[in-house]
């Protein structure tokens, strides 16, 4: 498929947090395509998985009245910035190219403010995945991926008894929250997840199901190595690659790392959804901020068109570990993990089991997400009881909502 865009030229400054091996490769494809259209790309990478450092940098740039033209920014954050009147729309491009016809409605809605596109989606990432090294699993006779958290615990106990670190993990708040939300989804199911984590219902937040979820998180804490604290997510992926740990619980950007290191899916590493029979959604998008001057405005249009071109969506997502945001791009060149993601996504839309990730900024306002991350991390790094955790979580969420 050709990577075509309607416009040519322009300058664009792009703020993003794609700095790991797989991420850098993927964003490199965007830069290359943009430059091949005659455009000038100004790269502003802010390292830090999950994007918390990037969002802090963005705030400073907007306050200084000098925002970058395009920002890796997603979910409700798009609406939050739009309400501040600092975004520019690319609706002319979107209408001309009929984006509404090729995007899942749930994604299209996130990209629009006041009915106009202010952002363009690059992908659909799935958050609820186990990644594992099959050779390490084989050492203790595990030949199938776990289907329930109890099965995972049994596997992990076997690995631990054999002196193998069951779970590669990086102790950073967003990573703690990533594993926790997957646990909630597995223990409570999609309806419960929505009630507790999206609607923030106090009864759901303090329910037995939530207590059980914290109990399972406590178990996971017992399966990580001694040096987990502060470790970057891609270093945790590397532990699985090198056979220093068996599993990682992480979104499919981890697959981008395996692929960038030349590892083969189904051979060197295996994937399986974490329990829950649902789909935990995270979608990256570029949001367009108000810039001035014909050259910069042109740059935004070129980038918007390029991001949504079928050829780019294919190339980018092959490197990133995700699947295209466009529904009309063939998955012929994609691996079995991507095909599984796509099938499960369609089933989740059909069965109403598609849920937005809290850790990855798809579900709740930043203030609520912040309280959630703080509490989960506090629990992970202390001996707080699960009963105290649910009480503290409910109180913290309420505080964030009334602030
Ligand atoms: C983003 C991914 C990124 C990951 C780790 C997620 O929130 O959506 O694109 O690879 O963080 O940095």
């Amino acid at each position: 498929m050709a990577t075509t865009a309607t416009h040519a030229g322009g300058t664009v400054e792009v703020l993003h947090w794609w700095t790991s091996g797989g991420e850098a490769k993927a964003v490199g494809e965007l830069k290359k395509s943009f430059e091949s259209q005659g455009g000038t790309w100004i790269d502003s990478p802010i390292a830090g998985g999950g994007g918390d450092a990037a969002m802090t940098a963005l705030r400073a740039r907007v306050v200084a009245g000098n925002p970058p033209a395009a920002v890796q920014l997603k979910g409700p954050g798009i609406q939050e910035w739009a309400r501040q009147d600092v975004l520019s729309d690319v609706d002319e491009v979107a209408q001309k190219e009929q984006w509404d016809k090729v995007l899942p409605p749930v994604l299209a809605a996130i990209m629009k403010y006041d009915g106009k596109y202010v952002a363009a989606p690059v992908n659909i990432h799935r958050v609820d995945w186990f990644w594992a090294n099959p050779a390490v699993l084989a050492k203790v006779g595990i030949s199938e991926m776990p289907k329930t958290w109890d099965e995972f615990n049994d596997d992990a106990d076997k690995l631990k008894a054999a002196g193998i670190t069951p779970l590669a993990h990086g102790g950073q708040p967003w990573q703690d929250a990533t594993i926790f939300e997957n646990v909630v989804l597995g223990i409570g199911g999609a309806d419960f997840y929505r009630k507790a984590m999206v609607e923030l219902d106090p009864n759901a937040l303090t329910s037995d199901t939530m207590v059980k979820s914290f109990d399972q998180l406590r178990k996971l804490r017992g399966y990580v190595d001694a040096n987990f604290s502060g470790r970057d997510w891609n270093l945790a992926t590397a532990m699985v690659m090198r056979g220093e740990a068996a599993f990682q619980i992480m979104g499919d950007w981890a697959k981008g790392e395996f692929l960038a290191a030349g590892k083969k899916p189904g051979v060197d590493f295996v994937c399986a959804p974490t329990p829950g029979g649902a789909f935990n959604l995270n979608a990256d998008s570029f949001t367009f901020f108000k810039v001035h001057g014909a050259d910069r405005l042109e740059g935004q249009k070129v980038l918007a068109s390029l991001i949504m071109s079928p050829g780019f969506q294919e190339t980018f997502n092959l490197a990133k570990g995700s699947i295209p945001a466009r529904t009309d791009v063939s998955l012929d060149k994609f691996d079995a993990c991507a095909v599984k993601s796509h099938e499960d996504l369609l089933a989740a839309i059909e069965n109403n089991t598609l849920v937005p990730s809290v850790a990855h900024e798809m579900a709740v306002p930043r203030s609520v997400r912040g309280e959630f991350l703080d509490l989960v991390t506090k629990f992970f790094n202390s001996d707080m009881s699960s009963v105290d955790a649910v009480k503290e979580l409910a109180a913290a969420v309420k505080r964030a909502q009334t602030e």
Side-chain angles (χ1 to χ4, degrees), residues 140-209:
V140 293
I142 302 169
S143 55
E144 270 180 37
M145 293 292 266
K147 293 191 182 55
T148 63
W149 284 109
D150 285 343
E151 281 181 26
F152 178 82
N153 297 341
D154 288 347
D155 289 349
D157 288 338
K158 272 189 215 155
L159 289 156
K160 206 172 163 178
I164 300 167
T165 300
L167 185 62
H169 180 62
Q172 296 174 345
W174 73 273
Q175 293 188 62
D176 299 338
T178 298
I179 60 176
F180 181 66
E181 66 182 24
N182 287 334
V183 166
V184 173
L185 191 56
I187 291 185
D191 285 346
F192 175 80
Y193 179 102
R194 252 188 302 253
K195 245 207 152 24
M197 312 277 279
V198 185
E199 292 161 23
L200 307 169
D201 176 279
N203 293 328
L205 281 172
T206 51
S207 64
D208 280 354
T209 307

Side-chain angles (χ1 to χ4, degrees), residues 17-18 23 49-50 72 74 125 233 253 282 284 320 360:
W17 68 89
W18 285 330
E23 292 175 338
Q72 183 193 349
K74 54 191 166 165
H125 265 309
W233 67 273
W253 44 95
N282 173 24
D284 288 307
K320 188 70 176 65
H360 296 279

Side-chain angles (χ1 to χ4, degrees), residues 17-20 22-23 47-52 72 74 122-123 125 127 174-175 178 233-234 250-254 257 282-285 316 320 322 357 359-362 369:
W17 68 89
W18 285 330
T19 54
S20 77
E23 292 175 338
D52 290 298
Q72 183 193 349
K74 54 191 166 165
V122 287
N123 63 11
H125 265 309
V127 182
W174 73 273
Q175 293 188 62
T178 298
W233 67 273
N234 51 319
M250 188 46 67
D252 39 22
W253 44 95
E257 289 306 295
N282 173 24
D284 288 307
S285 44
F316 177 89
K320 188 70 176 65
S322 36
S357 165
H360 296 279
E361 313 237 14
M362 298 293 293
R369 173 185 175 268

Side-chain angles (χ1 to χ4, degrees), residues 8-217:
T11 297
V12 76
E13 181 190 349
V14 183
L15 188 146
H16 62 90
W17 68 89
W18 285 330
T19 54
S20 77
E23 292 175 338
K25 197 164 171 218
V27 75
E29 295 292 345
L30 185 55
K31 178 173 185 278
K32 204 164 71 191
S33 304
F34 186 77
E35 287 173 342
S36 75
Q37 314 268 337
T40 305
W41 173 283
I42 303 171
D43 205 35
S44 292
I46 310 279
D52 290 298
M55 292 302 101
T56 305
L58 170 64
R59 261 191 305 282
R61 292 283 305 266
V62 178
V63 169
N66 175 31
V71 178
Q72 183 193 349
L73 169 71
K74 54 191 166 165
I78 298 174
Q79 310 296 317
E80 286 177 33
W81 281 116
R83 284 194 291 273
Q84 313 266 324
D85 199 23
V86 290
L87 299 190
S88 69
D89 75 76
V90 289
D91 210 51
E92 191 194 316
V93 180
Q95 292 313 325
K96 191 164 162 220
E97 298 177 354
Q98 303 196 306
W99 292 5
D100 276 346
K101 289 204 174 137
V102 294
L103 288 177
V106 56
L107 267 197
I110 297 173
M111 303 299 128
K112 291 183 195 174
Y113 183 71
D114 252 355
K116 291 187 173 160
Y117 279 91
V118 291
V122 287
N123 63 11
I124 293 176
H125 265 309
R126 181 177 196 172
V127 182
D128 48 331
W129 284 115
F130 287 126
W131 305 94
N133 183 322
V136 173
L137 297 185
K139 283 187 188 163
V140 293
I142 302 169
S143 55
E144 270 180 37
M145 293 292 266
K147 293 191 182 55
T148 63
W149 284 109
D150 285 343
E151 281 181 26
F152 178 82
N153 297 341
D154 288 347
D155 289 349
D157 288 338
K158 272 189 215 155
L159 289 156
K160 206 172 163 178
I164 300 167
T165 300
L167 185 62
H169 180 62
Q172 296 174 345
W174 73 273
Q175 293 188 62
D176 299 338
T178 298
I179 60 176
F180 181 66
E181 66 182 24
N182 287 334
V183 166
V184 173
L185 191 56
I187 291 185
D191 285 346
F192 175 80
Y193 179 102
R194 252 188 302 253
K195 245 207 152 24
M197 312 277 279
V198 185
E199 292 161 23
L200 307 169
D201 176 279
N203 293 328
L205 281 172
T206 51
S207 64
D208 280 354
T209 307
M210 210 62 175
V211 172
K212 281 195 193 117
S213 302
F214 276 105
D215 287 346
Q216 176 60 30
L217 186 63

